[in-house]
Amino acid sequence: MKKIFAILLSALALGGCENDGIPYVSLGLDDLYKVARMQTVDLKPAFTGESYRWTVKTASGADSLLSEEKDYIFLMQYPGTYDVTFQIFDPVNPIVHRMTFYVVEEEVEYSPYIASVYEYCPAPGQFVNAMPEYREGDTAETMRQKAEEAIAGKMQGGVSLGAYGGYITFGFDHTVVNVPGEYDIKIDGNSFTSAAHPGVDGGSSEPGIIMVMFDENQNGKPDDKWYEIDKNPWYTDEAATYGYEITYYRPDADHVPTPGDGTLTDMTYIKWVDNRGQTDYVYKNKFHDQDYYPKWIDADEMTFRGTLLPKNAVDVSGNGSYYLQYMFKYGAYADNYPNEAKDEDGNYYNGFDIGWAVDPETREPVYLPGVDFIRVYTGLNQYCGWLGETSTEIFMARDMHVYVRPDQHQ
């Protein structure tokens, strides 16, 4: 994972805090920093006051507000020289501290693709233990490694997240910067439109909810607060179910299958119960005969919580033999539209703006300077006949802002 490396160019132990008539004091901040683009510097002033203000000098010479919090994490997308001023407003001890940040190109060029998978925890499903493949003796760690091998770098094998709630957590080799008004990250799945229904935004769409996290404590681990990407709260407020919870139960060793029609071999395979008073099963079908419950998980039950999207599948056959899964047009989800599909503004449907992040508990928008960790989980709980349960698949993710250095083309 990324390393925070601020290389001090000039250490002035007691200098740098200046204002007319105000004595020099040590704030615990330096005057000069050198840092690679898309890497962070954690700034924690030692003094307190009634209020605070961080600003950066723009090209026109004006001061642009960065933050009004006491602590600030410096993060910039492009190389350059940034003059930052920190002010403490206090009637007894007002302080002004000026800093210069030299932001440079990284020594080893960043990859625009996934670098690390931190956790792979699918819910039961027909592709679980097969995508990636489980082998006897595999553990949560070896399956994490297999998931990383499947989706790190450019598109390779892909992973299945199983039924509702199954998730994967991944990150890049740098912080993805939140560029205002722009799409920051694109996530590829295996959604496709129906050849039998041309012009219809339907086919195989298995939307996954996207969660993001900024490494606030700067420890390189996904242990800060998660935020949900919610492009149009007015839509999901009407259609989504918040605070949804579901528990899956491993079949007993002596479980006797309950066959269904010609494709369903067990209608009472993996039982689930949710917090809305519903209970049913993840069915087993003849196309996938391996265990559907993650074999590397010791626990006999698995519980997932989150936002539940409305069912998007329609039985167009009328007899359960053919379902059309419609793409959601209003939100921002993984594995929703075909990977190269774009909206009228030229943005990828499977891309998203970090600026759409909301607190999952209050649904209020939040500001994140960037994100270090991304989690995707299956957002629907539905079954589509012989197609099986709806399960989000992830094949790749890309930082939309990482560019190739000009000298690479010379």
Side-chain angles (χ1 to χ4, degrees):
M1 189 47 196
K2 68 181 181 64
K3 295 182 180 178
I4 306 163
F5 57 103
I7 304 174
L8 179 61
L9 296 183
S10 177
L12 303 179
L14 298 177
C17 302
E18 54 177 308
N19 198 5
D20 292 341
I22 299 175
Y24 287 88
V25 292
S26 177
L27 253 184
L29 301 175
D30 298 313
D31 293 338
L32 302 175
Y33 294 89
K34 180 180 178 182
V35 64
R37 70 189 184 102
M38 297 184 180
Q39 298 287 352
T40 55
V41 180
D42 196 5
L43 303 169
K44 294 183 179 295
F47 287 81
T48 59
E50 290 187 349
S51 60
Y52 312 91
R53 182 179 176 87
W54 298 84
T55 58
V56 63
K57 195 74 69 177
T58 64
S60 66
D63 288 325
S64 176
L65 180 65
L66 295 172
S67 174
E68 292 182 314
E69 299 295 325
K70 175 180 175 292
D71 299 337
Y72 176 66
I73 297 178
F74 179 87
L75 171 66
M76 290 295 170
Q77 179 184 4
Y78 296 113
T81 301
Y82 298 86
D83 294 318
V84 175
T85 299
F86 171 62
Q87 293 175 272
I88 295 179
F89 298 96
D90 189 87
V92 177
N93 186 30
I95 295 174
V96 177
H97 185 93
R98 295 182 176 87
M99 297 155 280
T100 298
F101 290 83
Y102 295 103
V103 179
V104 299
E105 294 276 5
E106 66 277 13
E107 292 184 5
V108 178
E109 188 173 8
Y110 297 138
S111 168
Y113 306 109
I114 294 171
S116 303
V117 167
Y118 296 93
E119 190 176 8
Y120 173 55
C121 185
Q126 62 184 319
F127 296 105
V128 174
N129 298 312
M131 185 180 174
E133 181 183 3
Y134 169 88
R135 293 190 176 182
E136 193 65 34
D138 272 335
T139 64
E141 173 57 19
T142 59
M143 291 302 294
R144 181 203 65 78
Q145 293 174 2
K146 289 183 177 183
E148 185 172 278
E149 292 170 0
I151 66 172
K154 291 187 177 181
M155 184 177 291
Q156 298 181 51
V159 297
S160 178
L161 305 184
Y164 175 83
Y167 65 88
I168 190 168
T169 305
F170 57 85
F172 298 83
D173 61 4
H174 59 279
T175 299
V176 180
V177 178
N178 179 6
V179 179
E182 294 187 17
Y183 280 41
D184 303 300
I185 300 172
K186 177 177 180 284
I187 301 176
D188 285 358
N190 62 350
S191 176
F192 57 87
T193 55
S194 171
H197 297 79
V200 175
D201 286 337
S204 176
S205 174
E206 301 178 299
I209 302 290
I210 302 169
M211 308 291 287
V212 294
M213 178 188 293
F214 180 58
D215 189 10
E216 288 189 66
N217 61 19
Q218 296 291 284
N219 68 354
K221 301 177 181 179
D223 55 5
D224 290 297
K225 183 176 176 64
W226 285 107
Y227 297 97
E228 183 177 327
I229 295 298
D230 191 353
K231 182 179 180 181
N232 289 300
W234 61 268
Y235 171 75
T236 52
D237 278 345
E238 297 177 353
T241 300
Y242 300 128
Y244 185 71
E245 181 176 305
I246 190 170
T247 299
Y248 301 93
Y249 299 90
R250 188 196 304 271
D252 295 332
D254 57 354
H255 171 73
V256 177
T258 304
D261 59 24
T263 61
L264 299 179
T265 58
D266 192 351
M267 300 283 289
T268 58
Y269 182 39
I270 296 178
K271 182 180 180 180
W272 60 259
V273 176
D274 69 13
N275 62 348
R276 296 297 188 270
Q278 303 175 95
T279 184
D280 205 337
Y281 296 86
V282 174
Y283 310 148
K284 195 167 192 176
N285 62 61
K286 68 177 184 180
F287 306 108
H288 303 280
D289 195 41
Q290 85 286 353
D291 289 341
Y292 290 9
Y293 196 98
K295 289 178 69 65
W296 65 94
I297 300 294
D298 292 331
D300 289 333
E301 58 185 68
M302 307 177 70
T303 299
F304 298 91
R305 304 173 183 83
T307 296
L308 175 67
L309 296 175
K311 295 180 179 181
N312 71 337
V314 175
D315 178 9
V316 294
S317 67
N319 58 17
S321 63
Y322 184 71
Y323 285 80
L324 200 62
Q325 294 171 276
Y326 285 87
M327 288 80 178
F328 287 109
K329 297 181 179 181
Y330 302 100
Y333 311 105
D335 201 17
N336 182 34
Y337 268 87
N339 294 332
E340 300 308 310
K342 296 182 180 181
D343 63 20
E344 60 275 9
D345 297 320
N347 295 311
Y348 289 104
Y349 277 111
N350 290 339
F352 68 90
D353 183 345
I354 295 171
W356 298 336
V358 301
D359 187 309
E361 298 171 0
T362 66
R363 310 309 300 181
E364 292 295 323
V366 297
Y367 172 75
L368 300 174
V371 299
D372 297 284
F373 311 104
I374 301 167
R375 174 172 291 175
V376 178
Y377 65 87
T378 299
L380 291 99
N381 182 14
Q382 67 182 9
Y383 206 87
C384 303
W386 66 270
L387 291 174
E389 78 288 338
T390 294
S391 58
T392 301
E393 274 78 54
I394 300 298
F395 281 77
M396 185 182 73
R398 180 158 63 94
D399 179 348
M400 304 296 287
H401 306 311
V402 171
Y403 58 87
V404 177
R405 299 176 183 176
D407 60 5
Q408 296 292 314
H409 299 289
Q410 296 177 356

